[in-house]
Amino acid sequence: MGKKKKNPSKISYPLVQVVWIDATSSAEWMSEKKGIKLEAATCHSIGYKLFENSKKVILFADYNFDDDGSIDIGNVNVIPKSWVTEITEIIIK
């Protein structure tokens, strides 16, 4: 008889929303006055929190399970922690 395949129904990583500030740029010609008014972008990312320390937060958006029950992850985003303004856990009922 072959080995029974594991098929976990959920993962142990928390689902979070991270609000963070990112650089923006413009290649157009503009006045100094207009240039001074440019702002950084406030970004909102939702994903599973793979890792967090004082330097970075790593999220992944996609995953699948291998035959042995281990997880493969995709769409990984590394956000410098100094850019993060808020992390909120999302609870799915």
Side-chain angles (χ1 to χ4, degrees), residues 9 11-12 32 36-37 39 48 52 56 69 84 87:
S9 60
I11 59 174
S12 61
E32 292 170 329
I36 289 171
K37 292 180 181 179
E39 298 288 339
Y48 295 96
E52 178 181 0
K56 62 188 174 186
V84 173
I87 300 175

Side-chain angles (χ1 to χ4, degrees), residues 17-62:
Q17 177 181 16
V18 178
V19 180
W20 54 286
I21 306 300
D22 197 8
T24 58
S25 63
S26 176
E28 69 180 89
W29 289 99
M30 67 184 75
S31 68
E32 292 170 329
K33 192 174 187 177
K34 184 176 178 183
I36 289 171
K37 292 180 181 179
L38 295 175
E39 298 288 339
T42 300
C43 304
H44 300 258
S45 296
I46 295 176
Y48 295 96
K49 184 170 64 172
L50 177 66
F51 180 81
E52 178 181 0
N53 67 13
S54 62
K55 295 183 180 182
K56 62 188 174 186
V57 177
I58 302 175
L59 304 179
F60 64 93
D62 303 314

